[in-house]
């Protein structure tokens, strides 16, 4: 895995969240709402960093719930539920990493 520099603003071919075409300025991670279209700003949509933090929090909660499950006494439905939740959380985290380390980086 390579480290990704988050100090330089990325060029903006469109809105950083909804991908609406247009020039909404560069997306700079340290400036909230930079690179977002007026519709996303007016809707109060969370920034990319906020979405990343939310995904990591949910993944951690799913993992904590699965770790607290007693495998010896768990019903098959409980095992299936917790394994499914961990799988979805892991997929979401991996998708974030894939976006950060895209083919052009």
């Amino acid at each position: 895995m390579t480290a990704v520099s988050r100090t330089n603003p990325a060029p903006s071919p469109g809105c950083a969240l909804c991908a609406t075409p247009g020039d909404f300025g560069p997306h700079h991670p340290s400036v909230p709402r930079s690179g977002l279209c007026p519709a996303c700003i007016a809707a109060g949509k969370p920034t990319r960093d906020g979405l990343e933090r939310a995904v990591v929090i949910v993944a951690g909660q799913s993992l904590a719930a699965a770790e607290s499950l007693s495998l010896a006494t768990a019903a098959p439905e409980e095992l299936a539920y917790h394994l499914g939740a961990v799988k979805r959380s892991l997929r979401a985290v991996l998708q974030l990493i894939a976006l950060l380390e895209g083919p052009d980086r």
Side-chain angles (χ1 to χ4, degrees):
M1 192 181 308
T2 61
V4 176
S5 172
R6 299 188 126 221
T7 58
N8 295 331
S12 175
C15 179
L17 279 180
C18 68
T20 299
D23 184 15
F24 304 110
H27 173 67
H28 199 289
S30 64
V31 180
R33 313 231 185 277
S34 66
L36 299 184
C37 68
C40 286
I41 293 171
K45 291 184 180 179
T47 61
R48 168 83 184 172
D49 293 334
L51 293 172
E52 289 174 359
R53 283 192 300 274
V55 166
V56 171
I57 288 169
V58 170
Q61 290 171 343
S62 297
L63 185 57
E67 287 176 341
S68 68
L69 185 67
S70 173
L71 297 178
T73 59
E77 296 83 16
E78 289 178 296
L79 290 173
Y81 171 79
H82 285 290
L83 289 175
V86 169
K87 176 185 165 187
R88 286 186 301 276
S89 295
L90 180 60
R91 180 183 301 139
V93 170
L94 291 175
Q95 286 173 342
L96 283 177
I97 292 170
L99 290 174
L100 293 175
E101 295 184 352
D104 58 337
R105 294 183 189 230

